[in-house]
Amino acid sequence: MQDRTPDAVRDLLAVVLDALTLPYDTPDYSRRILDRAAEARTVAVAALAENPADIGWNVDYLRSKLAAEQADAERRDNGRCRRCLRPFDADDTRFDGHARHADTPWCRSCVDNCHDGGAEHVCMICNPARYGGGAQ
Ligand SMILES: [Zn+2]
Ligand SMILES: [Zn+2]
C-alpha cells in the first residue's frame, strides 16, 4: 500500500515546477518561459508513457536541460544592455556612452535617453511592466 506520493513523482513535480518558474524581471521572460514549458511538457509526456521506474531519468534529463538553458541565457544577457542589447563598453563613460550605468542592467545611453524623455516617454527602464517583464 502506498499512501504517499512516491519520491520519484515528487522529484518530477519539483523539476517541472522549476522549469515553469522564473523571476518576473528576467530578461526575455516570455520567450524563456515558453522554451522551458516546452521542455517540461516533453519530459512529462515521456514520464507518463514510460515505466515509472524511469521517472528518475526524466528528472535528471529535465534538470540538465534547464541548467543548459540558464547558462545560455546568462551568456546572452551578460555584458549587454537589456534595453538596446548592445554590449557594454566599460571605457565609454560619456554621459550617453555604452558603459554600464552603475549597477543597473542598462547602458548610460539608454538611461540618458530615458531621463531626457518627455511627458509621453515610456520605456522598459522607467516602466518595465509594459515590456513583457511584468506579471502575466
Ligand atoms: Zn542601452
Ligand atoms: Zn524611460
Side-chain angles (χ1 to χ4, degrees):
M1 265 287 283
Q2 220 165 20
D3 60 354
R4 296 179 48 204
T5 310
D7 286 348
V9 174
R10 296 180 64 90
D11 286 351
L12 181 65
L13 288 173
V15 72
V16 166
L17 196 59
D18 275 353
L20 300 178
T21 306
L22 275 178
Y24 285 134
D25 65 352
T26 303
D28 294 340
Y29 178 90
S30 308
R31 212 195 62 217
R32 287 189 60 196
I33 208 83
L34 284 177
D35 286 353
R36 292 162 67 105
E39 298 284 4
R41 188 174 186 284
T42 304
V43 165
V45 167
L48 281 173
E50 285 166 18
N51 187 323
D54 292 335
I55 286 179
W57 186 89
N58 286 296
V59 169
D60 290 346
Y61 173 82
L62 183 51
R63 278 215 182 96
S64 69
K65 283 296 220 182
L66 293 180
E69 194 271 349
Q70 179 69 32
D72 272 1
E74 278 169 16
R75 206 171 311 126
R76 242 184 0 249
D77 300 337
N78 220 349
R80 279 173 189 278
C81 170
R82 224 185 259 184
R83 180 164 177 268
C84 64
L85 301 180
R86 289 212 237 170
F88 291 125
D89 176 357
D91 295 328
D92 190 1
T93 53
R94 291 170 298 160
F95 70 95
D96 61 349
H98 284 96
R100 183 192 287 265
H101 181 84
D103 285 337
T104 69
W106 323 113
C107 70
R108 296 169 72 96
S109 168
C110 285
V111 169
D112 177 62
N113 179 274
C114 176
H115 290 176
D116 274 358
E120 304 288 293
H121 165 91
V122 101
C123 77
M124 65 167 70
I125 297 175
C126 51
N127 192 351
R130 284 265 300 260
Y131 287 82
Q136 298 298 291

